[in-house]
Amino acid sequence: MLTAYDDIGSGNPIVLIHGHPFDRTMWRPQVERFSQTHRLIVPDLRGYGESTVIPGKTTLDMFAADVADLLDVLGVEKFVLGGLSMGGQIVMDFHRQFPERVAGLLLADTFPGAETPEGVKARNDMADRLEQEGMAPYAEEVQWKMVARGNDSEHVMRMMKNAPPEGAAAALRGRAERPDYTELLRTISVPTLVVVGELDEYTPVDVAQHMHTLIPGSELVVIPNAAHMPNLERPAEFNEAFERLLNTVWV
């Protein structure tokens, strides 16, 4: 399997995991800012971007293992790990499997709970639909839930429409089977930033607040005038919060 990735800058390593149905370019504002002082490693998950598309079903633990394998190849043992939405769930699973490798955590616009029976059906139905219709109709439907109205959605729309339908469908089927990470959050002992867009409908502010209460010593930041993609919608505010986390990890 080919995993496409960027490895930019030098210094203490940061690994950033994109959400669905995006690719590694969603982290461009963070790469541009933090690669000046850190080593940024940003992969395309299997089935997305320029990485190998494997149809069927890709579970979160498989994604997390892929990330671990890539970092083994790169010789990176310990790092700050961040993810948004599905990427945040992959980060939680990575911490479940490899807690000793994590120096700090960024959990953005994500949800720790298991899927509901209704959600299982919805994700599997959507997976079938993406394979039949392609990505464009879905992208048009969710545009203003991903990005708040009035914010620039061009990059987000381009990523969604360019995502391989088979890869996105495989991830949806895998997420339908995700475990509950809620109790895992109580075990986190590294510096952690929980961040969420003020207008996020997928993972609302109250979900982020609950995660914050479960993770000892975590910081919660709500990004105003942003929906599900605050790192792209409001990069200055997002980066300011992320920098505080990094300064906590590496003082």
Side-chain angles (χ1 to χ4, degrees):
M1 186 186 78
L2 169 69
T3 298
Y5 63 94
D6 294 323
D7 185 351
I8 302 172
S10 61
N12 291 317
I14 301 168
V15 180
L16 296 175
I17 309 300
H18 68 77
H20 161 90
F22 306 118
D23 57 55
R24 69 188 192 270
T25 67
M26 68 157 276
W27 295 111
R28 189 175 296 150
Q30 287 68 53
V31 172
E32 290 174 353
R33 166 65 184 83
F34 294 105
S35 62
Q36 300 173 41
T37 50
H38 296 75
R39 180 182 181 185
L40 269 288
I41 300 165
V42 189
D44 279 336
L45 297 168
R46 72 162 75 186
Y48 294 92
E50 298 173 329
S51 290
T52 302
V53 175
I54 302 175
K57 178 171 63 182
T58 307
T59 54
L60 294 172
D61 61 323
M62 294 167 65
F63 281 127
D66 288 346
V67 174
D69 290 345
L70 172 63
L71 295 168
D72 287 345
V73 169
L74 297 176
V76 178
E77 184 56 38
K78 198 156 188 172
F79 42 86
V80 168
L81 180 61
L84 182 143
S85 192
M86 179 180 77
Q89 294 169 336
I90 294 167
V91 165
M92 288 183 268
D93 202 281
F94 190 100
H95 185 278
R96 179 186 65 81
Q97 295 186 62
F98 314 104
E100 71 285 350
R101 302 188 70 169
V102 178
L105 288 173
L106 163 68
L107 295 168
D109 300 79
T110 193
F111 180 77
E115 192 55 271
T116 64
E118 297 79 13
V120 170
K121 183 178 187 306
R123 289 197 188 277
N124 283 299
D125 288 349
M126 179 59 73
D128 294 342
R129 189 183 149 199
L130 294 183
E131 289 178 330
Q132 294 162 7
E133 297 181 1
M135 298 302 296
Y138 167 79
E140 296 290 346
E141 284 175 20
V142 302
Q143 177 176 4
W144 300 119
K145 290 180 73 175
M146 294 293 186
V147 176
R149 289 187 183 275
N151 292 341
D152 183 9
S153 65
E154 180 182 353
H155 183 190
V156 170
M157 290 296 285
R158 185 167 61 249
M159 287 189 291
M160 290 197 290
K161 289 183 176 181
N162 288 342
E166 298 86 356
L172 283 171
R173 294 189 184 103
R175 285 173 81 194
E177 299 179 6
R178 71 176 183 267
D180 190 336
Y181 299 108
T182 305
E183 289 306 310
L184 172 82
L185 299 183
R186 300 182 192 274
T187 72
I188 294 173
S189 59
V190 296
T192 300
L193 170 64
V194 179
V195 61
V196 66
E198 174 189 30
L199 306 175
D200 194 341
E201 297 179 37
Y202 288 118
T203 54
V205 171
D206 62 343
V207 171
Q209 289 171 331
H210 183 54
M211 294 174 66
H212 165 58
T213 63
L214 294 174
I215 302 172
S218 61
E219 180 183 6
L220 171 65
V221 174
V222 180
I223 306 290
N225 302 311
H228 197 54
M229 307 290 292
N231 71 300
L232 283 171
E233 297 174 83
R234 292 289 181 265
E237 293 92 330
F238 189 97
N239 288 353
E240 180 182 353
F242 192 30
E243 185 166 23
R244 282 200 303 275
L245 172 71
L246 298 175
N247 289 340
T248 303
V249 175
W250 292 304
V251 293

